[in-house]
Structure formats: structure tokens, C-alpha cells
Amino acid sequence: MTETGSAGVAVAENAAAAPTRRSFVNWLAVGWLAFAAGVGAFVTTMARFLFPNVLFEPPSSFKAGYPADYQVGEVDERWKEKYQIWVVRNTEMIYALITVCTHLGCIPNWLPAQNKFKCPCHGSGYYRSGINFEGPTPRPLERAAISISPDDGQIFIDKARKFLYEKGQWTDPAAFIKTT
Amino acid sequence: MSLERHWKKIQQQVVETQIWKSIFRVGIPNTNRKRVLAMLGNVVLHLHPVKTRKSGVKMRYTWCAGGMTFFLFLTLTFTGLLLMFYYRPTIEYAYGDMLDLREQVPFGIMREMHRWGAHAMVISVWIHMFRVFMTGSYKPPREFNWNVGVVLLVLTLLLSFTGYLLPWDQLAIWAITVGSNMARATPLAGNEGPFAAQLAVNGVNLVTAGSDARFGLLGGRIVGANALLRFYVLHCVFIPLVAAFLMAVHFWRVRKDGGISGPL
Amino acid sequence: MNGLKSFINWLASPAIAVTLSMLSLVGAMFYKPIWTKKGGLVLFATLVGGFAFSFTDPNFRIVATMPDNVPILGMLFLVGFFFWYAMYQAHLNDARLSVGLPPLEKDDSDKKVFSWPDLVYVELVSLIICSIVLIVWSIVLKAPLEEPANPGAAPNPAKAPWYFLGLQELLVYFDPWMAGVVLPTLIIVGLMAIPYIDTNPRGNGYFSFRERKWEIVMFCFGFIILWVVLIILGTFLRGPNWNFFGPYEYWDPNKLVPLNNVSVSEIFWVKWLKTALPTFWLKRELPGILLVLFYLGALPGLLGKTLFRRFYEKMGMVRFFVGVNLFLIMFAVPIKMYLRWIFNLKYIVNIQEFSFNI
Ligand code: HEM
Ligand code: FES
């Protein structure tokens, strides 16, 4: 308080009772900060609320029969509707392609005559290996983990583990079953 | 007595009953004073000013496109409410309820009115925006109201989009799959978006299919039960409330900005 | 007849259809005779005639009468009509303005009328007409309901709701983060910016073309070409596998259209310099990055100094740069489309490492 003159005494008296201007400003700052922190915390909890911890979505792994069930040189569509997986067998290996277009998630169709997967949504095309060659998609299809189950010799496919070509993961031993 | 005189007489009698008078204080607005009072005394009409610029009243100027949009919004609110009596937003029931709405409900055109009304509303918002642009009505002092309008336009499209999922048929699920997958491509916040893979701590990605923008929108990795419920709530409660509030602001500002625009 | 139909099919292919509609839109806006009653009638008759002719074609009929496509036909006529109507009134006013008279609206705008009955009755009548149309429409046309949802099989073609088909069409040319996130955001931002960028005080509160040519041409370009025309393309001309089909073509799911696309980096390093692609992303993508930086960084300044000097002086720096960048981004859309059609170009910048593709 810097006021002077005849009113000075009265001001000083008041100041003793009330907080000084500086301490008032400090309290104000603390108050606002606390308020902002409170709002921030509330917004965060609200945002977190949108992300559930438990999901009730279909299981991501399944047993897919025996390797002998699959013909060499064929793209097998039997698991497409149920588990969104194509099982492809060539002369060397069996691999599992996830049937979800890497563009925006439609389900491409296997066109045997043209020897390619073609997406109905925006026309992305993939070779049988899963590598993209046309349309708007930026990258190849993903492959799922595939292995021979030790207990019964069936093929075991786990969609939760994905292998991406562009990261060099298709050579990972868990990404295919060697047949020769 | 001619038919017209009969009619006049009945009208006279109705207007003079105590019931009528208790509702409509002013009676038939046949004098200027009564016209003013009619506008002021009615909560709905009171949206309008008592007097309007003659150019603003003309169809050739506003095409009544904004009014039409508002009317369609009201129609949709009402028909939507009726649909809510039968529709259950779960994967087990949604599609079946749609079939029932079509086949088992008397006067089953509510779904039609709701769907076609929604399309009509989208079209009429565009036409309204086009008219506002072509008359230069966004220019000062109406900049802010134009912006309120843009938000309303977005809300209208979002209302239509969230409603599209509810029938739970092939059209619905794939349109929403493709549409919501775009959220996956949001820079930084979507797991396929630019630079999202670079957000990692000790080699563990922070933004994954289970934690990205799309997951927050759908409440799951796929368009499934959570997504259906969320879209239902957004469609029936949240977006209509926000839109209704903004419409109130919009209409208020039309008046406060000097009424329907006209040459200065 | 078949010759004519295949000619129209050819005209409707995206490159030609977009080019033609751009040219005819801009051309028409400056061609006065269209914006008279007679011009409107001719336009209307052409449109109706075109549809009547097309409806004799079975393939066209299948697509045009799908229930969800009916509103688009309605939109087409309504947008067409109101576009003509706005321009018609604008030209009436322009004729008055050019001889020093005030616009038509001026006569009325000085007078005020009582809202009851003048306004309330207009509204009541619109409301009743609207209800009747909606009810009749609902009785005549059943709302579509397809097979129950099946996450394992997408319909072919799988389409977004019709009002987003313009954006879906952009997905063919841009990566999802551009077409699905950046461009829609910029559309909204751009619309919101209009009243603040446009400093032209004239043409406020009445229809007029000559007083705001630039604004109107730009807005209609965005609205009619980049929104409505792309919707029509996406609705009527995109069939199975998102292949293009002419209006009279059968939607053959086995139609084969090779689409082998290349990126700027491949053109630059492999085709021009005849070397392998550099492995380091920055070096590999430098040509594309420079192109983008030039387009968004240097071009606005250059335009401000040369072609758009007048705007720069009138609008001031901030307005000019915001406006010109929005303008350039809007034109980036057709530019990228043309690059695809002519050079099969897929990406200008293609940094897979960061999923950053332009
Ligand atoms: C749900 C959507 C909307 C509703 C219900 C609505 C309703 C209305 C109504 C009833 C009017 C009175 C004049 C008329 O009927 O034309 C009006 C005026 C106006 N609207 Fe909207 N509108 C909506 C969306 C929009 C949009 C998308 C824009 C622009 C982007 C917009 C901008 C304006 C402006 C600037 C005015 C003042 C026009 C003038 O004074 O001439 N509105 N609106
Ligand atoms: S989702 Fe497959 S091409 Fe777009």
C-alpha cells in the first residue's frame, strides 16, 4: 500500500485487517491454478472414461485344422467370415493373411481369375502374398502369427500378433509354417 | 344464410369462449395493435420480431431454406422419438427391431419419414448455406452467425452419420467402418496416422489399436456392441441437444444482427 | 444409339467429367444468357431430357433407382435449380446496378411489415408443403434395409453415406489422414474463415454477381465441383471394387482396370536419374518435400508479389496469407487428381517410415 496523505492512516489500518494486494494476487493465482488443475483433471477422467478396460469382442486366436487340409497353391477362404483370415499355402510354406484392407479396413475379395485380392471400398489390390500393387492403400496386408500346436498338430492362428512386411517381419519364424 | 356467413359465425362463437380467450389473449389479430400482441404473447412466434423487413419475408430472398431446415429438425426429433419406443441399440436386437418397425407397426412410415427427412435436412442445410453465401449475408455484422451456421452444418452431417449405423445392416456397419477408420489415420492420435508409431516409450507404442482416437470413438477395436451404443447415445441425445442449443443461438443472433439481411 | 452411349460413358470418366464440369461451371458463370428465364428453361429441359433418355437404359435405371440414391437425384435438381435461381436474381440486380439503380431488394428493405400475418403465413405454407412432400415420399418409397451386419464380408462396392461420397472419392487420391482428417478439417476452417477473409463490403444483403465475382466463383467451385460433382461421381459412377463405370455401363464385378501407381521419388531417382532409390528417407523424398514446401511456402509469397498483388494490397498480410493458403489447398485437390490421371502419380511425398504420405 503506497497511498499517502491524510487518508494514509485509515488505509494502513484497513490493510492490517485485510490481506495486502500482493498476497491477494498470490492467492488469486493459486486459486486459478487450482481451478485449472481441477478442470484439467476432470477433463482427463472424462477422456479416460471413453476407453474401456475390458472388451467383449470375438476371440482372436483359433485352431484351423491340419496342414494337409490346405491345397498347395490355394487361397483358402474357409475362415474368412468367422475369423477374418485367409490361409494361403504355397510350395514352401503356409501363412495367414488378415483379411482387413490396410487402407480403411474393408474386407477385400479374392479374385482367383486375376490372382489378386481386390478391395470393394476404394479399389486397393494385393498380390496373393499380401503385397499391395494398386489402389490407394499405403502398405501390404498384415499376416497373423501361425504355428503348429504342439498338443494335437493342428494349425494355431493368433490374430493378436501381427507381422508387417514393411517392418521386415514376414521372415519371423512365427509368421509362417514351413512345409518343405 | 350463405356458407361463408355460417362459418364466420361459428368462428366468432369459438373465439369468444372462455377457453379460447384464456389461451389466445388477443383474439384474431385484425388490427395492428393485435398483430403486435400476437407476436409478443406467443412463446413460439416470439422467435420472430414484431415487424420484419419486407425483403426478408419474401420467398425469393430466403427460399425459406433455413426455416425448412429447422422444421425438418423438429420433424426428425418427433419421428425419432417414436422410433425410440421400439428400437433397442444392441447387436442382438437392432436389426430385428428394424424389421419389426417395417412390418409389425401400424402406419409404419415413421422410419421412412425419419430417414428421408434426414436426407432432406442435409440437402436443405446446404441450400440454406448457399443462399446465405450468394446474398453475401455472412458479411459484417453477421460473421459470427455464419460460424454458428458452419458448426450446425457439421452437426447435421454428424447426426446423419451416427444415425446411419443404427439399422445394423451391411450398409450401416461398412459405412461406419470405413468412416471411423479415418480416425485411425489422425496424425499422432491414430495408430496408423503419421508419426503415431514414433510415440513410444522403451519400444512400447503408446498409440495402438487399443488406445487411439478411433478406439475412444467406438469403445472397441471393431464396430461392435460398444460402437452401436455410443452412436445411439450421440445420435439421440448428445448431438441433438448441442444442435438445439446452437439453433437457439443462431436464431437469436439473426435478430440481434439486425434481422434478415438486406441492402443497406 | 450405342455409339452415343459409349461416347457419354467416355465423357463421364473422372478425368474428363471433372475437367468438363470445371470448364463449364466457370464458363457458364460468365455467360449471361443462361441466367435468364429462357436459359433456365433450356437448362431444365436438358437435365430432364438427359434423365428421360438415360432412364431407357437398364443399367442406368438400376443405379439411379436404388432407394438411397433417390435423394441424390432430388439434390441434383434442387441444387441445380437454386444455383440458377441465385444467379438469375444476381444478374437482374447487376443490370440495375450497372445503370446506377439499387438492387431489387432495396425497394423492399426500407419497408417493414408485420410478422403476423406476412411472415407467419409464408412459414405455415412452407411447412405444410414440406410435410406433404415428406409424407408422400415416405409412403411411396420404403427405407432401405440390407442384409444384417456381417463383419466378415464387405458389400461390393461399399459406400459411405451419400453426403460423404465426395470425401470417399478423395480417398482414391489421398491417404486417409489427408482425405479423412486434414481436408475435412480444412473445409470447416475454410468455411469459417470466409467472413474474415472476404473484405469486400459490397454485395451484402442482395444477390449480385458483378460485385463479388471472385468470391462467388471460388465458393461455387468448392461447393459445386469439389463437393456435389464428386458426390455424383461417387454415387452413380463408382461400382464394384470402386472401379469407374460409365452411366450406361453394366456394373461388372470382374472389370479389370490396372492401376499401377508411382511416387515422385521413383520418377525422380529411378526414371530420371536412373539410379536406385536412396535408402535414407530425407534424401529419397527430398524432391517431393521441396515441391510441397514450394507450393505452400513460397508460392503464396510469389503470388502476392505478382498475380494476386491487388488482393495482397487490399486484404493485408494476415488475411492474404490465410486466404491464399486455403485457396492453394483447395486447388491441391484437383491438382493431385490430375497428377494421378496423367502420370499415375500416387504420392508426392512417401515417407513410409512415419506413415507420412502426401
Ligand atoms: C441446422 C442448421 C440450420 C438451421 C436450422 C438454420 C436456420 C436459419 C434460419 C431459420 C434463418 C433465418 C433466415 C432463413 O431462413 O434463411 C437463418 C439465417 C442464417 N443462417 Fe442459418 N440455419 C442452419 C445452418 C446454417 C449454416 C450451415 C449456415 C452457414 C454456413 C448458416 C448461416 C446463416 C446466416 C449467416 C443467417 C443470417 C442470414 C440473413 O440474415 O440473411 N446457417 N438460419
Ligand atoms: S478400404 Fe480397402 S481400398 Fe479403402
Side-chain angles (χ1 to χ4, degrees):
Chain A
M1 296 286 148
T2 53
E3 252 150 297
T4 52
S6 58
V9 183
V11 169
E13 256 170 24
N14 267 347
T20 61
R21 179 184 289 175
R22 175 167 301 158
S23 84
F24 177 69
V25 168
N26 283 345
W27 278 111
L28 201 67
V30 169
W32 275 111
L33 275 178
F35 179 71
V39 171
F42 185 64
V43 169
T44 317
T45 46
M46 242 169 20
R48 184 60 186 81
F49 186 78
L50 295 176
F51 292 80
N53 288 337
V54 182
L55 290 179
F56 301 96
E57 291 181 350
S60 66
S61 58
F62 63 101
K63 293 215 167 148
Y66 298 93
D69 298 346
Y70 299 92
Q71 307 286 321
V72 174
E74 206 179 316
V75 172
D76 192 286
E77 299 210 78
R78 78 181 80 167
W79 305 111
K80 181 177 167 187
E81 290 236 340
K82 196 150 177 224
Y83 294 110
Q84 286 90 51
I85 286 286
W86 284 300
V87 179
V88 187
R89 178 167 185 176
N90 59 26
T91 48
E92 290 152 28
M93 59 170 132
I94 300 177
Y95 52 88
L97 283 173
I98 295 174
T99 67
V100 177
C101 181
T102 46
H103 181 228
L104 284 175
C106 283
I107 309 284
N109 297 306
W110 168 244
L111 307 178
Q114 297 167 29
N115 196 16
K116 70 177 182 189
F117 300 102
K118 182 78 177 167
C119 183
C121 289
H122 320 93
S124 290
Y126 307 85
Y127 295 123
R128 127 198 324 259
S129 62
I131 292 180
N132 59 314
F133 67 96
E134 64 177 1
T137 188
R139 59 198 186 88
L141 293 174
E142 294 167 348
R143 290 188 183 177
I146 185 167
S147 58
I148 299 284
S149 177
D151 44 336
D152 58 2
Q154 283 204 48
I155 295 177
F156 179 74
I157 295 177
D158 182 7
K159 284 200 303 176
R161 249 187 105 192
K162 291 174 178 164
F163 296 91
L164 311 188
Y165 173 78
E166 66 275 20
K167 297 207 175 138
Q169 293 165 341
W170 282 5
T171 49
D172 190 304
F176 58 90
I177 298 173
K178 208 140 185 65
T179 51
T180 46
Chain B
M1 264 200 297
S2 76
L3 205 60
E4 198 192 328
R5 297 246 308 278
H6 266 295
W7 170 243
K8 276 264 156 63
K9 201 160 162 233
I10 295 172
Q11 205 180 12
Q12 198 71 36
Q13 278 167 352
V14 170
V15 169
E16 265 158 29
T17 58
Q18 191 183 356
I19 297 178
W20 180 278
K21 278 188 180 163
S22 72
I23 304 173
F24 305 101
R25 287 280 165 73
V26 227
I28 294 174
N30 47 10
T31 66
N32 283 355
R33 185 170 167 278
K34 285 184 176 173
R35 287 185 187 120
V36 173
L37 291 176
M39 295 304 288
L40 289 179
N42 181 308
V43 68
V44 179
L45 295 182
H46 162 254
L47 271 177
H48 293 306
V50 169
K51 285 180 125 190
T52 316
R53 224 184 258 141
K54 197 168 173 200
S55 58
V57 173
K58 297 224 159 144
M59 276 300 254
R60 52 165 293 224
Y61 188 69
T62 62
W63 310 339
C64 203
M68 212 65 107
T69 313
F70 182 53
F71 175 61
L72 283 165
F73 179 76
L74 295 180
T75 312
L76 288 167
T77 311
F78 182 69
T79 51
L81 194 96
L82 290 177
L83 292 178
M84 283 170 83
F85 289 155
Y86 291 99
Y87 175 83
R88 288 164 290 179
T90 61
I91 296 183
E92 295 80 32
Y93 296 130
Y95 186 78
D97 289 347
M98 281 291 142
L99 291 177
D100 284 353
L101 271 171
R102 168 184 282 186
E103 269 135 36
Q104 311 297 349
V105 179
F107 294 110
I109 61 163
M110 285 310 141
R111 189 176 160 233
E112 276 70 21
M113 283 186 64
H114 198 71
R115 192 180 183 104
W116 301 140
H119 287 183
M121 182 172 167
V122 169
I123 297 171
S124 75
V125 187
W126 293 356
I127 288 175
H128 173 56
M129 181 180 76
F130 182 64
R131 161 336 252 177
V132 170
F133 183 87
M134 291 302 278
T135 54
S137 303
Y138 57 86
K139 299 190 177 198
R142 296 184 180 79
E143 308 99 308
F144 179 72
N145 214 16
W146 168 270
N147 277 288
V148 175
V150 174
V151 178
L152 280 171
L153 169 80
V154 175
L155 289 178
T156 307
L157 293 177
L158 285 181
L159 266 175
S160 269
F161 186 66
T162 47
Y164 214 74
L165 181 63
L166 304 184
W168 204 247
D169 62 351
Q170 281 287 69
L171 210 61
I173 182 180
W174 288 104
I176 307 303
T177 300
V178 170
S180 63
N181 266 328
M182 291 185 210
R184 216 170 51 166
T186 316
L188 295 174
N191 83 85
E192 305 238 309
F195 308 114
Q198 275 66 44
L199 291 179
V201 176
N202 295 335
V204 179
N205 275 347
L206 294 180
V207 184
T208 65
S211 69
D212 69 345
R214 179 175 190 260
F215 187 89
L217 180 73
L218 298 182
R221 290 190 185 82
I222 52 171
V223 179
N226 278 352
L228 181 57
L229 187 55
R230 278 183 191 202
F231 273 47
Y232 176 74
V233 174
L234 288 175
H235 182 76
C236 300
V237 184
F238 186 71
I239 306 179
L241 278 182
V242 178
F245 171 72
L246 283 178
M247 280 179 205
V249 176
H250 197 60
F251 302 155
W252 176 253
R253 284 301 293 243
V254 171
R255 284 187 62 177
K256 293 297 140 181
D257 293 341
I260 304 289
S261 59
L264 300 172
Chain C
M1 197 64 148
N2 280 336
L4 180 64
K5 280 186 179 172
S6 48
F7 178 65
I8 294 179
N9 282 342
W10 176 77
L11 280 186
S13 65
I16 298 169
V18 170
T19 313
L20 280 182
S21 45
M22 282 200 296
L23 291 179
S24 50
L25 178 85
V26 177
M29 294 195 81
F30 289 93
Y31 184 65
K32 281 196 188 136
I34 297 185
W35 313 113
T36 56
K37 284 197 173 134
K38 215 155 120 201
L41 272 179
V42 172
L43 219 62
F44 183 70
T46 326
L47 213 60
V48 172
F51 267 102
F53 169 75
S54 303
F55 260 92
T56 59
D57 185 275
N59 292 320
F60 182 88
R61 214 161 41 219
I62 293 174
V63 180
T65 53
M66 292 198 233
D68 261 348
N69 287 353
V70 172
I72 311 175
L73 286 183
M75 178 205 61
L76 208 94
F77 275 93
L78 284 173
V79 168
F81 171 73
F82 282 114
F83 184 43
W84 170 83
Y85 193 43
M87 289 298 283
Y88 165 72
Q89 297 195 55
H91 279 101
L92 284 187
N93 276 341
D94 286 351
R96 291 170 62 98
L97 291 165
S98 64
V99 294
L101 286 167
L104 274 170
E105 286 89 346
K106 181 79 180 164
D107 289 350
D108 286 341
S109 75
D110 294 338
K111 288 182 219 120
K112 285 206 161 186
V113 293
F114 281 101
S115 304
W116 184 295
D118 291 48
L119 177 57
V120 179
Y121 272 65
V122 169
E123 286 173 345
L124 185 71
V125 171
S126 318
L127 195 146
I128 291 172
I129 294 176
C130 178
S131 313
I132 294 175
V133 169
L134 191 59
I135 290 173
V136 170
W137 184 4
S138 302
I139 291 174
V140 172
L141 210 63
K142 281 269 151 245
L145 189 65
E146 301 201 347
E147 309 275 291
N150 174 2
N156 189 4
K159 293 192 174 184
W162 62 269
Y163 36 85
F164 287 143
L165 280 182
L167 291 176
Q168 190 172 2
E169 185 62 24
L170 293 187
L171 281 170
V172 176
Y173 307 97
F174 290 91
D175 246 28
W177 74 280
M178 284 292 289
V181 182
V182 175
L183 291 176
T185 311
L186 285 176
I187 294 175
I188 298 170
V189 170
L191 280 175
M192 288 188 148
I194 288 177
Y196 304 101
I197 296 173
D198 176 8
T199 51
N200 178 3
R202 290 180 303 162
N204 182 348
Y206 51 92
F207 291 100
S208 163
F209 182 56
R210 60 177 240 145
E211 300 205 323
R212 15 194 320 252
K213 284 190 181 124
W214 258 96
E215 303 146 67
I216 292 185
V217 170
M218 281 304 121
F219 185 83
C220 290
F221 182 82
F223 179 53
I224 306 281
I225 304 290
L226 295 184
W227 193 254
V228 175
V229 168
L230 289 189
I231 286 178
I232 295 170
L233 213 106
T235 310
F236 296 113
L237 305 178
R238 289 288 182 181
N241 302 325
W242 211 247
N243 279 327
F244 165 80
F245 291 86
Y248 310 122
E249 206 171 327
Y250 167 66
W251 280 19
D252 176 8
N254 296 317
K255 179 172 171 172
L256 227 171
V257 185
L259 310 155
N260 286 309
N261 298 323
V262 290
S263 297
V264 163
S265 52
E266 282 158 341
I267 296 181
F268 184 82
W269 297 105
V270 180
K271 216 164 144 194
W272 290 356
L273 298 188
K274 309 240 181 293
T275 56
L277 281 179
T279 42
F280 180 51
W281 59 267
L282 187 59
K283 183 173 178 204
R284 186 187 72 219
E285 298 302 330
L286 204 57
I289 294 176
L290 286 179
L291 272 179
V292 173
L293 284 182
F294 170 77
Y295 188 74
L296 291 181
L299 204 55
L302 284 179
L303 286 173
K305 285 237 150 56
T306 54
L307 211 56
F308 292 167
R309 187 183 197 106
R310 209 160 45 91
F311 291 97
Y312 183 82
E313 280 158 6
K314 247 192 331 206
M315 296 163 69
M317 195 167 84
V318 176
R319 280 201 184 88
F320 177 79
F321 278 109
V322 174
V324 128
N325 267 307
L326 287 170
F327 168 86
L328 284 175
I329 290 171
M330 177 161 105
F331 274 91
V333 172
I335 289 177
K336 179 105 196 261
M337 294 165 96
Y338 276 106
L339 288 174
R340 170 67 57 83
W341 295 326
I342 300 172
F343 303 110
N344 277 331
L345 186 85
K346 181 162 180 184
Y347 293 126
I348 295 170
V349 176
N350 177 15
I351 312 179
Q352 292 289 343
E353 289 84 344
F354 306 125
S355 322
F356 183 85
N357 306 314
I358 300 177

